[in-house]
Amino acid sequence: MNWKQPKVYAVKHKDETTRAASRSGGIFTALSDLVLSNGGVVYGCVLTDDFDAVHIRADNAEERNRMRGSKYIQSKLGDIFRNVKADLDVRRNVLFSGTSCQVAGLKKYLGKEYDNLFCVDIVCHGVPSKKIWEAYLRWQEQKMHSKVASVDFRNKKDFGWHDHVETLCFENGKSTSSRVFKELFYGHTVLRPSCYECPYKSVIHPGDITIADYWGIEKAAPEFDDNKGVSLVLVNNEAGEKIFEKVKERLIWKQTKLEDGLQPPLKAPFPKPQNREQFWRDFQNRPFEYVAKKYGGIGLKNDSKSFLRKIKRKIKKLVSEGGKRNTSII
């Protein structure tokens, strides 16, 4: 049974290569490495060659590595719950990762507790419509006159952990970096109706451990904030605490106050935007270019903000190289 209040940690993987390949601090890799090293299997979300999000089963690190990184679209589960049960019934250790509603759904499907099941849920902002994602990709392809070859929902390598820029690479060798899908996502008009009533928008979650980006790290543990990624870890019960203790040797960690990591999705669901119906009318009746300009932040104002961000990043890099590091969020 989960505790009434989780234990909270700031976490960075000791291996910098692992952290660089991860969306935040690398906690998922540490947890799944432990399960794999004991002959277990990992279930998690990957992005397919067609840029759909789907859950897969992995029994090795190479397949598991495909699960790293953010996917701001809902994953297809298919027969995953049935496959998880099959592994559990032959006494294989299983790590299942997903959104809180997916973890809750799995537990409801199983109908009983398994001591060889370990669940990791992610702090979820909400799930956008797949129609928006597909229209966005087609729009970018038309602009670039080429098919999308790869997607990075949040390009940490080029823009740092604090920023949120999606980068698309194309078959013709070109690439583009944009905040349009991010702006649509955080505008909340594209979210599923059920997300506005999500019962998991609190500090109580169904997973044994809950993970997220540690927004607020500059207050909770400023010495951790190097703009390379920090994981927020909520340990929700004794099972979560037991496995976290086993992976601590792979991590740089610090216990922090719950209130320092209380980002909006840990407080309450995002309210349904008043302009949601208008957005969908525009999406259905207007070109995507119109939607991108009206709701996706395209225009002179956004271009000016982008220019200022670039200048700030260059200044921050110069200051950092000079031996002084400014830890403020850009």
Side-chain angles (χ1 to χ4, degrees), residues 132-143:
I132 304 298
W133 173 240
E134 292 174 341
Y136 171 72
L137 291 179
R138 302 295 83 79
W139 175 66
Q140 290 284 22
E141 287 179 341
Q142 290 169 7
K143 289 174 60 181

Side-chain angles (χ1 to χ4, degrees), residues 202-203 214-216 232 257-267:
S202 72
V203 297
Y214 202 132
W215 304 129
L232 171 69
K257 297 179 181 178
L258 177 62
E259 56 267 28
D260 289 340
L262 276 183
Q263 49 195 268
L266 292 174
K267 298 177 182 178

Side-chain angles (χ1 to χ4, degrees), residues 72-74 125-133 136 180-196 271-273 275-277 279-280 283 288 291 295-296:
Y72 291 95
I73 50 178
Q74 185 174 21
H125 197 92
V127 178
S129 166
K130 185 183 176 184
K131 289 183 178 180
I132 304 298
W133 173 240
Y136 171 72
V180 170
F181 190 73
K182 183 264 289 190
E183 292 292 335
L184 294 174
F185 179 62
Y186 287 125
H188 306 146
T189 56
V190 303
L191 301 184
R192 295 183 62 180
S194 57
C195 295
Y196 305 125
K272 178 181 175 181
N275 66 337
R276 188 177 189 274
E277 282 70 24
F279 168 84
W280 281 102
F283 176 73
F288 192 84
V291 173
Y295 303 96

